[in-house]
Amino acid sequence: MSVWPAWEVREGERTTRWLHVRLAFDDGARVDALAVVSEGCVCVEDVRARPALALEDLVVFADWIEGPLARACGAGPADGDVTGTGVHRGRPTWPPGPEEWRLAAREYRVARERGADPVLAVMEATGHSRRGALRLIGRARDAGLLSPRHARR
């Protein structure tokens, strides 16, 4: 992820900053946003994504950009944010191993039925990064909890 300044406006003691945010994935997916930071508040003014994001996916996006935006504004990482990817508020603590695979498989299937992105659903439910969610989905497939992605020859 990258964050860089767009512009800054100063009015007396008050400063408003606009920042470009780009989140790019190995599979070619990309999310670009314009964030405004003013008086300790962050607002996202514009978001463009390829492929398009579902509304639920914006929650995950907000968590990802929280830490990097804080650092870009000189606030440092958020409390408890050791990875720098944002604080995952309200996320359940999932037990590791087979129980986590079952829960991830359930979230994956529900998202598919709704027509939402199943990987992002697992990311949101578990708090894992995209890579971590894909790994978890792969483990659920290996355990027979999800159908194979591709037919093997």
Side-chain angles (χ1 to χ4, degrees):
M1 175 169 22
S2 54
V3 178
W4 66 97
W7 63 91
E8 185 175 290
V9 175
R10 293 178 192 238
E11 297 178 55
E13 304 227 351
R14 186 174 147 202
T15 302
T16 303
R17 293 185 195 178
W18 283 262
L19 301 160
H20 291 289
V21 179
R22 174 167 290 154
L23 184 60
F25 298 96
D26 292 337
D27 63 0
R30 189 170 101 183
V31 181
D32 291 301
L34 181 63
V36 181
V37 180
S38 178
E39 297 181 351
C41 295
V42 176
C43 297
V44 177
E45 286 196 349
D46 185 41
V47 176
R48 295 174 190 227
R50 293 233 194 282
L53 293 175
L55 287 176
E56 307 85 49
D57 302 336
L58 289 174
V59 174
V60 176
F61 179 68
D63 282 346
W64 281 343
I65 67 173
E66 183 178 22
L69 278 176
R71 282 192 302 282
C73 296
D79 292 339
D81 181 16
V82 290
T83 63
T85 58
V87 176
H88 299 288
R89 291 181 294 277
R91 294 265 163 62
T93 303
W94 287 34
E99 185 61 25
E100 184 178 35
W101 305 337
R102 278 191 282 284
L103 294 168
R106 184 187 69 216
E107 292 293 327
Y108 185 95
R109 284 191 297 272
V110 168
R112 294 276 315 239
E113 290 169 7
R114 284 190 342 241
D117 184 332
V119 176
L120 288 175
V122 172
M123 290 168 57
E124 182 177 304
T126 63
H128 286 297
S129 66
R130 184 172 185 83
R131 184 175 295 178
L134 288 169
R135 216 173 306 141
L136 186 57
I137 292 165
R139 289 183 184 130
R141 284 190 201 288
D142 292 345
L145 301 168
L146 292 170
S147 61
R149 181 157 174 82
H150 301 291
R152 295 184 181 168
R153 296 180 185 181

